[in-house]
Amino acid sequence: MAKTKTTFYCQNCGANSAKWVGKCPACGEWNTYVEEIVTKGTSTEKEVWEDASAPRNQPRKIQDVVYDEHQRIKTPTGELNRTLGGGIVPGSLVLIGGEPGIGKSTLLLQMAIRMKTTKVLYASGEESLDQIRMRAERIGIQAENCFLLAETSLANILNHAAQLKPEILIIDSIQTLHTETIEASVGSISQVRECAGKLMKYAKQTNVPVFLIGHVNKDGAIAGPKVLEHMVDTVLQFEGDRHLSYRILRTSKNRFGSTSEIGIYEMRETGLREVTNPSEVLISPRDGFLSGVGIGATLEGNRPLLIEVQALVSPATYGTPQRSTTGFDGKRLNMLLAVLEKRLGIRLSAQDIFLNLAGGIKVNDPALDLTICAAVFSSFDDIAIPSSICFAAEVGLGGEIRAVNRIESRITEAAKLGFKEIYLSKYNVKGIDTSKFDIEVKAFTRLSEAFEILFAR
């Protein structure tokens, strides 16, 4: 009979200890250690996908390893292909996290039922087969090679996978699985780690890509041990407000591609619709001039986006002035406000200032600095910025306008959407033939110079 023992695990980072401790020595969190029963002995789960007659792996020279760049599996969604680095890599382990109800299950089920030539096994531990079928009917079933399985036992899922031999395996979700080798409750640190380890072994040995849906905690991080994110090949975060229709699929880790790519979707009754031209949906139509609104050209990965920045400046009537931001770093906003007050003499210390990036998107690109400064100044003086003007420049502490990267992509995107003028740094246009763009390029070195021309209209 197998011996059992108890071990204390940190619910935040997954560290373990032989006894309970108040503060985790690994992550520094308090009161996160929970006692779990760990079974030591021979596993009763047989890894039926393994071929005993197959030769064992041998060390090989790196020059002798042949890799086919065209072996990625293309999904029906171009946005998902972009975030994965060009498609699904065989044998990869992909983890998708997000808030409840954001659309994680819908995204993967939609991918599964639309891959017409690929056999997919969708294993769910949260919904019955009838519930999954109801959601699939709403999305629209297009494929005949999508198989559904309602199961929480990892051994049973892998047994069915060994018989069915799918080309893609989807697990919804990793926190609902359990394995008999661990006598801990479902969703515990040890269960999540053990199940993820077995799925990683299955993916690498069978060359079948595995998608895992992961729950998140109250801080928005993926629940379970931090080692879960280290084990997988790709981590995707599905972001967005459930009260808004747009969703952003952001890559936080990718061993096979860039981590700066994003995919944008719109949630509809019939499922998720990919947004191929996000600049058009992130800029709201305007009838006439409206103060406090500016358009900035930014980059998310290799994709240029034009984003609408909305600012509201009003006298503070309730004591301490408020500073509120949505979609932008609040500390950077305070820095830009200090630059405006110091270099342009605008008295903002007694003003309430609210900043919002339309569409619910979050951006950290410093190229939005000039747009934010222009929107704040526009709202303060109640002077509208013409809707045919956009901005792309960083603002320094001295009030200087600094250059940003990949300026030609930003100018091209602005011209494609019909903008007539774009304000840049003079250091960005050196060596660039601006006459080839169907837009007037205006370059400056100081913030005061740009505003003198912009607001003197």
Side-chain angles (χ1 to χ4, degrees), residues 319-337:
T320 305
Q322 300 182 62
R323 301 287 187 267
S324 177
T325 64
T326 303
F328 191 74
D329 185 15
K331 293 182 179 179
R332 190 163 187 88
L333 173 63
N334 291 332
M335 183 200 75
L336 295 175
L337 297 179

Side-chain angles (χ1 to χ4, degrees), residues 144-203:
E144 298 180 355
N145 289 326
C146 179
F147 295 83
L148 304 181
L149 176 64
E151 183 61 71
T152 58
S153 171
L154 179 61
N156 293 339
I157 293 175
L158 295 179
N159 286 338
H160 285 294
Q163 298 173 8
L164 187 62
K165 292 183 171 33
E167 297 174 72
I168 297 177
L169 174 61
I170 299 174
I171 304 295
D172 184 11
S173 64
I174 184 64
Q175 279 83 9
T176 62
L177 298 187
H178 69 88
T179 174
E180 296 180 359
T181 58
I182 300 293
E183 290 189 5
S185 60
V186 177
S188 62
I189 292 289
S190 54
Q191 282 284 4
V192 171
R193 183 177 57 244
E194 185 72 13
C195 291
K198 288 183 176 295
L199 287 169
M200 180 182 66
K201 184 178 181 180
Y202 168 80

Side-chain angles (χ1 to χ4, degrees), residues 352-404:
D352 288 335
I353 300 177
F354 304 92
L355 185 75
N356 176 54
L357 301 189
I361 193 170
K362 297 179 182 178
V363 177
N364 295 320
D365 189 0
L368 279 184
D369 289 355
L370 183 57
T371 314
I372 292 171
C373 291
V376 170
F377 191 96
S378 170
S379 180
F380 179 78
D381 274 359
D382 201 19
I383 303 175
I385 301 173
S387 58
S388 60
I389 297 178
C390 65
F391 309 86
E394 182 182 354
V395 175
L397 292 179
E400 73 276 14
I401 298 180
R402 301 170 61 88
V404 294

